[in-house]
Amino acid sequence: MNVKEMIATMQLIGSSVRNLKLSNAFVVADEMDQWNKKIDVEYEINELYVSEKKNIGSVMLHIVLEIDKDGQEGISVELDMDGGFSFIFSEEKNNDEKKAEMEKMLSHNGCATVYSLARAFIVSVTGQMCNGGTIILPMINIYELNKHRNK
């Protein structure tokens, strides 16, 4: 099937790590599944750029991961990752309608995309800092994240 007919109206144009803080008090990271883990995820939608030729928006994801063992200081990762997206709209939409749709798409699809990139980044980084393993963030339900965020 021709993919050209299925291309989404929102496309990732780039991502960047804006902030990264790492700490590891363990020499060997074994049996991590038995450690205490706390993961916080938040996001914000940055300024939206809307014109006749370009529609661009970005979402900044903030992830804090803390792992300890028996109350001892352990591993912490703080990551801010930004994802930039372009949007294609039909010509009959005005700028306010475009911005509203962009915000909705960024809060769902944009967050899911950047979270996936952040998960892969954290696997890579923790593989270098954790002798004996990597840290894989769980998949999250972005719909539930938005429900809790909007309370």
Side-chain angles (χ1 to χ4, degrees):
M1 185 169 276
N2 187 350
V3 174
K4 197 173 192 179
E5 297 170 13
M6 297 174 267
I7 292 178
T9 59
M10 176 179 148
Q11 293 292 318
L12 177 69
I13 55 176
S15 65
S16 64
V17 173
R18 299 296 180 153
N19 177 50
L20 176 63
K21 293 180 185 173
L22 303 169
S23 173
N24 183 8
F26 296 121
V27 175
V28 177
D30 60 348
E31 301 176 2
M32 278 195 276
D33 57 330
Q34 298 175 13
W35 299 358
N36 301 314
K37 297 177 187 166
K38 180 183 176 198
I39 303 168
D40 288 317
V41 178
E42 297 178 13
Y43 74 89
E44 68 180 82
I45 295 171
N46 299 321
E47 187 173 342
L48 305 175
Y49 176 78
V50 177
S51 75
E52 290 181 20
K53 294 182 181 182
K54 286 185 184 178
N55 302 291
I56 297 173
S58 67
V59 60
M60 176 75 70
L61 202 65
H62 180 71
I63 298 172
V64 176
L65 168 67
E66 296 172 346
I67 300 174
D68 65 62
K69 187 175 182 180
D70 301 325
Q72 299 175 0
E73 183 181 339
I75 298 168
S76 69
V77 178
E78 183 176 334
L79 172 66
D80 292 335
M81 183 174 272
D82 191 30
F85 298 86
S86 65
F87 298 82
I88 300 169
F89 294 106
S90 61
E91 292 180 17
E92 62 267 2
K93 289 193 180 204
N94 66 41
N95 286 354
D96 289 336
E97 292 171 324
K98 289 178 183 179
K99 284 184 178 183
E101 190 169 333
M102 288 168 71
E103 285 183 11
K104 184 177 179 182
M105 292 176 77
L106 285 168
S107 68
H108 291 88
N109 301 30
C111 279
T113 300
V114 176
Y115 186 74
S116 293
L117 295 170
R119 287 180 75 221
F121 182 81
I122 289 173
V123 164
S124 177
V125 168
T126 58
Q128 300 297 313
M129 68 184 262
C130 298
N131 185 17
T134 62
I135 298 170
I136 301 173
L137 296 181
M139 293 183 71
I140 61 171
N141 184 329
I142 299 297
Y143 177 76
E144 291 295 323
L145 173 67
N146 280 306
K147 276 179 37 179
H148 290 279
R149 184 176 191 257
N150 295 327
K151 282 186 177 180

